[in-house]
Amino acid sequence: MGNIQDFSTKFGQGQRATLFRVEGEIPGAGTNAEDRTFFIKAAQFPASTLGFIEVPFKGRKIKRPGDRTFAEWSITVLQDDQNSVREDFIGWMNQINNHFEISGDSVSDALFPDWTVTALRQDDSEAGSIEIRSCFPTEVGTIDFNYETVDTFAEFTVTIQYDYWVSQGTS
């Protein structure tokens, strides 16, 4: 890349942070697609870290690849006017471990669906995606109410754990 024109050609239109789609089922939230639709304000492709192992030898250390770990995934959800979205996430958690019975439903694979995060181009075509495998929520965040907060909608975060993610074209 020797000049600005080379850079501009290679960069193209760039990836817009506001163009994305998250798809996933909330177990127990409803059977038709409209019942499972909710609005996500913010999400991300979650991180993946390849650890390393230091092996000492005569005062020196060599490094070798270790295990891969996946960071928790956090999404910011816009609250609907019926409070149903937050209740759906809480219901999902209750299916795994209930508030007052200290038990959950019979834990099955249906409680750990796969979700997809897709980056979009300006024409709504897909620029890339990852599939997040075996998701389940570990925290449904607070909704803050405040008389001084104006011109905004209520929102909350959901922290999701998962086994791993697969990038488009990766097995």
Side-chain angles (χ1 to χ4, degrees), residues 25-45:
E25 180 181 346
I26 299 175
T31 55
N32 68 43
E34 192 172 306
D35 289 340
R36 295 190 317 257
T37 300
F38 57 97
F39 301 98
I40 293 183
K41 178 181 174 183
Q44 61 285 122
F45 286 164

PDB file of all heavy atoms in Angstrom, residues 25-45:
ATOM      1  N   GLU A  25     -32.627 -18.364  19.550  1.00  0.00           N
ATOM      2  CA  GLU A  25     -33.866 -18.722  20.218  1.00  0.00           C
ATOM      3  C   GLU A  25     -33.697 -18.593  21.721  1.00  0.00           C
ATOM      4  O   GLU A  25     -32.673 -18.968  22.286  1.00  0.00           O
ATOM      5  CB  GLU A  25     -34.240 -20.161  19.876  1.00  0.00           C
ATOM      6  CG  GLU A  25     -35.511 -20.623  20.535  1.00  0.00           C
ATOM      7  CD  GLU A  25     -35.833 -22.068  20.198  1.00  0.00           C
ATOM      8  OE1 GLU A  25     -35.239 -22.616  19.265  1.00  0.00           O
ATOM      9  OE2 GLU A  25     -36.669 -22.642  20.904  1.00  0.00           O
ATOM     10  N   ILE A  26     -34.719 -18.033  22.362  1.00  0.00           N
ATOM     11  CA  ILE A  26     -34.796 -18.034  23.824  1.00  0.00           C
ATOM     12  C   ILE A  26     -35.735 -19.181  24.179  1.00  0.00           C
ATOM     13  O   ILE A  26     -36.930 -19.091  23.915  1.00  0.00           O
ATOM     14  CB  ILE A  26     -35.344 -16.704  24.368  1.00  0.00           C
ATOM     15  CG1 ILE A  26     -34.429 -15.552  23.965  1.00  0.00           C
ATOM     16  CG2 ILE A  26     -35.484 -16.777  25.884  1.00  0.00           C
ATOM     17  CD1 ILE A  26     -34.966 -14.186  24.362  1.00  0.00           C
ATOM     18  N   PRO A  27     -35.216 -20.264  24.731  1.00  0.00           N
ATOM     19  CA  PRO A  27     -36.083 -21.405  25.051  1.00  0.00           C
ATOM     20  C   PRO A  27     -37.273 -20.998  25.918  1.00  0.00           C
ATOM     21  O   PRO A  27     -37.119 -20.284  26.896  1.00  0.00           O
ATOM     22  CB  PRO A  27     -35.154 -22.369  25.795  1.00  0.00           C
ATOM     23  CG  PRO A  27     -33.793 -22.036  25.265  1.00  0.00           C
ATOM     24  CD  PRO A  27     -33.822 -20.542  25.063  1.00  0.00           C
ATOM     25  N   GLY A  28     -38.448 -21.429  25.499  1.00  0.00           N
ATOM     26  CA  GLY A  28     -39.667 -21.141  26.245  1.00  0.00           C
ATOM     27  C   GLY A  28     -40.325 -19.822  25.900  1.00  0.00           C
ATOM     28  O   GLY A  28     -41.369 -19.490  26.450  1.00  0.00           O
ATOM     29  N   ALA A  29     -39.742 -19.046  24.975  1.00  0.00           N
ATOM     30  CA  ALA A  29     -40.264 -17.706  24.695  1.00  0.00           C
ATOM     31  C   ALA A  29     -41.420 -17.698  23.710  1.00  0.00           C
ATOM     32  O   ALA A  29     -42.053 -16.685  23.534  1.00  0.00           O
ATOM     33  CB  ALA A  29     -39.149 -16.806  24.188  1.00  0.00           C
ATOM     34  N   GLY A  30     -41.713 -18.795  23.058  1.00  0.00           N
ATOM     35  CA  GLY A  30     -42.800 -18.826  22.086  1.00  0.00           C
ATOM     36  C   GLY A  30     -42.440 -19.731  20.935  1.00  0.00           C
ATOM     37  O   GLY A  30     -41.268 -20.037  20.715  1.00  0.00           O
ATOM     38  N   THR A  31     -43.430 -20.111  20.187  1.00  0.00           N
ATOM     39  CA  THR A  31     -43.189 -21.071  19.122  1.00  0.00           C
ATOM     40  C   THR A  31     -43.050 -20.434  17.754  1.00  0.00           C
ATOM     41  O   THR A  31     -42.377 -20.974  16.897  1.00  0.00           O
ATOM     42  CB  THR A  31     -44.317 -22.120  19.061  1.00  0.00           C
ATOM     43  OG1 THR A  31     -45.563 -21.432  18.939  1.00  0.00           O
ATOM     44  CG2 THR A  31     -44.317 -22.976  20.310  1.00  0.00           C
ATOM     45  N   ASN A  32     -43.668 -19.273  17.516  1.00  0.00           N
ATOM     46  CA  ASN A  32     -43.491 -18.675  16.195  1.00  0.00           C
ATOM     47  C   ASN A  32     -42.391 -17.619  16.234  1.00  0.00           C
ATOM     48  O   ASN A  32     -42.036 -17.091  17.283  1.00  0.00           O
ATOM     49  CB  ASN A  32     -44.815 -18.120  15.640  1.00  0.00           C
ATOM     50  CG  ASN A  32     -45.334 -16.925  16.405  1.00  0.00           C
ATOM     51  OD1 ASN A  32     -44.577 -16.045  16.760  1.00  0.00           O
ATOM     52  ND2 ASN A  32     -46.631 -16.901  16.665  1.00  0.00           N
ATOM     53  N   ALA A  33     -41.857 -17.308  15.064  1.00  0.00           N
ATOM     54  CA  ALA A  33     -40.697 -16.421  14.979  1.00  0.00           C
ATOM     55  C   ALA A  33     -40.995 -15.035  15.540  1.00  0.00           C
ATOM     56  O   ALA A  33     -40.123 -14.407  16.136  1.00  0.00           O
ATOM     57  CB  ALA A  33     -40.229 -16.317  13.535  1.00  0.00           C
ATOM     58  N   GLU A  34     -42.215 -14.539  15.379  1.00  0.00           N
ATOM     59  CA  GLU A  34     -42.548 -13.214  15.879  1.00  0.00           C
ATOM     60  C   GLU A  34     -42.477 -13.155  17.403  1.00  0.00           C
ATOM     61  O   GLU A  34     -42.086 -12.147  17.981  1.00  0.00           O
ATOM     62  CB  GLU A  34     -43.939 -12.805  15.400  1.00  0.00           C
ATOM     63  CG  GLU A  34     -44.231 -11.340  15.644  1.00  0.00           C
ATOM     64  CD  GLU A  34     -45.517 -10.893  14.989  1.00  0.00           C
ATOM     65  OE1 GLU A  34     -45.659 -11.106  13.779  1.00  0.00           O
ATOM     66  OE2 GLU A  34     -46.362 -10.351  15.710  1.00  0.00           O
ATOM     67  N   ASP A  35     -42.843 -14.239  18.071  1.00  0.00           N
ATOM     68  CA  ASP A  35     -42.757 -14.281  19.530  1.00  0.00           C
ATOM     69  C   ASP A  35     -41.314 -14.242  20.015  1.00  0.00           C
ATOM     70  O   ASP A  35     -41.044 -13.875  21.144  1.00  0.00           O
ATOM     71  CB  ASP A  35     -43.405 -15.563  20.080  1.00  0.00           C
ATOM     72  CG  ASP A  35     -44.910 -15.551  19.941  1.00  0.00           C
ATOM     73  OD1 ASP A  35     -45.482 -14.456  19.785  1.00  0.00           O
ATOM     74  OD2 ASP A  35     -45.503 -16.636  19.989  1.00  0.00           O
ATOM     75  N   ARG A  36     -40.380 -14.649  19.178  1.00  0.00           N
ATOM     76  CA  ARG A  36     -38.981 -14.738  19.584  1.00  0.00           C
ATOM     77  C   ARG A  36     -38.154 -13.543  19.105  1.00  0.00           C
ATOM     78  O   ARG A  36     -36.951 -13.531  19.239  1.00  0.00           O
ATOM     79  CB  ARG A  36     -38.379 -16.032  19.057  1.00  0.00           C
ATOM     80  CG  ARG A  36     -39.010 -17.269  19.667  1.00  0.00           C
ATOM     81  CD  ARG A  36     -38.246 -18.529  19.328  1.00  0.00           C
ATOM     82  NE  ARG A  36     -37.818 -18.624  17.961  1.00  0.00           N
ATOM     83  CZ  ARG A  36     -38.401 -19.374  17.026  1.00  0.00           C
ATOM     84  NH1 ARG A  36     -39.442 -20.090  17.320  1.00  0.00           N
ATOM     85  NH2 ARG A  36     -37.916 -19.422  15.808  1.00  0.00           N
ATOM     86  N   THR A  37     -38.815 -12.536  18.530  1.00  0.00           N
ATOM     87  CA  THR A  37     -38.104 -11.374  18.022  1.00  0.00           C
ATOM     88  C   THR A  37     -37.913 -10.358  19.143  1.00  0.00           C
ATOM     89  O   THR A  37     -38.838 -10.059  19.873  1.00  0.00           O
ATOM     90  CB  THR A  37     -38.902 -10.717  16.877  1.00  0.00           C
ATOM     91  OG1 THR A  37     -39.072 -11.668  15.837  1.00  0.00           O
ATOM     92  CG2 THR A  37     -38.171  -9.505  16.337  1.00  0.00           C
ATOM     93  N   PHE A  38     -36.703  -9.860  19.267  1.00  0.00           N
ATOM     94  CA  PHE A  38     -36.431  -8.793  20.211  1.00  0.00           C
ATOM     95  C   PHE A  38     -35.336  -7.920  19.629  1.00  0.00           C
ATOM     96  O   PHE A  38     -34.725  -8.265  18.623  1.00  0.00           O
ATOM     97  CB  PHE A  38     -36.058  -9.339  21.597  1.00  0.00           C
ATOM     98  CG  PHE A  38     -34.882 -10.264  21.608  1.00  0.00           C
ATOM     99  CD1 PHE A  38     -33.627  -9.802  21.918  1.00  0.00           C
ATOM    100  CD2 PHE A  38     -35.046 -11.612  21.332  1.00  0.00           C
ATOM    101  CE1 PHE A  38     -32.545 -10.651  21.940  1.00  0.00           C
ATOM    102  CE2 PHE A  38     -33.972 -12.470  21.358  1.00  0.00           C
ATOM    103  CZ  PHE A  38     -32.722 -11.987  21.657  1.00  0.00           C
ATOM    104  N   PHE A  39     -35.107  -6.766  20.230  1.00  0.00           N
ATOM    105  CA  PHE A  39     -34.209  -5.782  19.648  1.00  0.00           C
ATOM    106  C   PHE A  39     -32.925  -5.672  20.467  1.00  0.00           C
ATOM    107  O   PHE A  39     -32.961  -5.394  21.660  1.00  0.00           O
ATOM    108  CB  PHE A  39     -34.908  -4.428  19.559  1.00  0.00           C
ATOM    109  CG  PHE A  39     -36.158  -4.510  18.733  1.00  0.00           C
ATOM    110  CD1 PHE A  39     -37.391  -4.643  19.322  1.00  0.00           C
ATOM    111  CD2 PHE A  39     -36.064  -4.496  17.353  1.00  0.00           C
ATOM    112  CE1 PHE A  39     -38.544  -4.740  18.557  1.00  0.00           C
ATOM    113  CE2 PHE A  39     -37.209  -4.604  16.576  1.00  0.00           C
ATOM    114  CZ  PHE A  39     -38.448  -4.723  17.168  1.00  0.00           C
ATOM    115  N   ILE A  40     -31.832  -5.888  19.780  1.00  0.00           N
ATOM    116  CA  ILE A  40     -30.528  -5.808  20.422  1.00  0.00           C
ATOM    117  C   ILE A  40     -29.883  -4.490  20.027  1.00  0.00           C
ATOM    118  O   ILE A  40     -29.785  -4.164  18.844  1.00  0.00           O
ATOM    119  CB  ILE A  40     -29.651  -7.003  20.017  1.00  0.00           C
ATOM    120  CG1 ILE A  40     -30.252  -8.278  20.602  1.00  0.00           C
ATOM    121  CG2 ILE A  40     -28.217  -6.792  20.457  1.00  0.00           C
ATOM    122  CD1 ILE A  40     -29.461  -9.517  20.333  1.00  0.00           C
ATOM    123  N   LYS A  41     -29.491  -3.725  21.027  1.00  0.00           N
ATOM    124  CA  LYS A  41     -28.853  -2.439  20.789  1.00  0.00           C
ATOM    125  C   LYS A  41     -27.364  -2.611  20.503  1.00  0.00           C
ATOM    126  O   LYS A  41     -26.799  -1.899  19.688  1.00  0.00           O
ATOM    127  CB  LYS A  41     -29.051  -1.540  22.012  1.00  0.00           C
ATOM    128  CG  LYS A  41     -28.396  -0.193  21.893  1.00  0.00           C
ATOM    129  CD  LYS A  41     -28.625   0.630  23.147  1.00  0.00           C
ATOM    130  CE  LYS A  41     -27.845   1.913  23.102  1.00  0.00           C
ATOM    131  NZ  LYS A  41     -28.002   2.692  24.324  1.00  0.00           N
ATOM    132  N   ALA A  42     -26.745  -3.570  21.183  1.00  0.00           N
ATOM    133  CA  ALA A  42     -25.304  -3.754  21.029  1.00  0.00           C
ATOM    134  C   ALA A  42     -24.939  -5.219  21.231  1.00  0.00           C
ATOM    135  O   ALA A  42     -25.508  -5.907  22.077  1.00  0.00           O
ATOM    136  CB  ALA A  42     -24.545  -2.889  22.033  1.00  0.00           C
ATOM    137  N   ALA A  43     -24.009  -5.677  20.424  1.00  0.00           N
ATOM    138  CA  ALA A  43     -23.460  -7.029  20.536  1.00  0.00           C
ATOM    139  C   ALA A  43     -22.049  -6.969  19.951  1.00  0.00           C
ATOM    140  O   ALA A  43     -21.581  -5.906  19.541  1.00  0.00           O
ATOM    141  CB  ALA A  43     -24.326  -8.038  19.792  1.00  0.00           C
ATOM    142  N   GLN A  44     -21.391  -8.083  19.909  1.00  0.00           N
ATOM    143  CA  GLN A  44     -20.046  -8.136  19.334  1.00  0.00           C
ATOM    144  C   GLN A  44     -19.719  -9.568  18.941  1.00  0.00           C
ATOM    145  O   GLN A  44     -20.417 -10.497  19.333  1.00  0.00           O
ATOM    146  CB  GLN A  44     -18.992  -7.595  20.295  1.00  0.00           C
ATOM    147  CG  GLN A  44     -18.836  -8.325  21.602  1.00  0.00           C
ATOM    148  CD  GLN A  44     -19.936  -8.065  22.599  1.00  0.00           C
ATOM    149  OE1 GLN A  44     -20.565  -9.005  23.014  1.00  0.00           O
ATOM    150  NE2 GLN A  44     -20.192  -6.836  22.983  1.00  0.00           N
ATOM    151  N   PHE A  45     -18.686  -9.690  18.121  1.00  0.00           N
ATOM    152  CA  PHE A  45     -18.107 -11.009  17.928  1.00  0.00           C
ATOM    153  C   PHE A  45     -17.291 -11.253  19.193  1.00  0.00           C
ATOM    154  O   PHE A  45     -16.385 -10.485  19.504  1.00  0.00           O
ATOM    155  CB  PHE A  45     -17.172 -11.045  16.722  1.00  0.00           C
ATOM    156  CG  PHE A  45     -17.847 -11.030  15.372  1.00  0.00           C
ATOM    157  CD1 PHE A  45     -17.119 -10.723  14.241  1.00  0.00           C
ATOM    158  CD2 PHE A  45     -19.181 -11.333  15.214  1.00  0.00           C
ATOM    159  CE1 PHE A  45     -17.702 -10.723  12.995  1.00  0.00           C
ATOM    160  CE2 PHE A  45     -19.788 -11.331  13.970  1.00  0.00           C
ATOM    161  CZ  PHE A  45     -19.046 -11.027  12.855  1.00  0.00           C
TER     162      PHE A  45
END
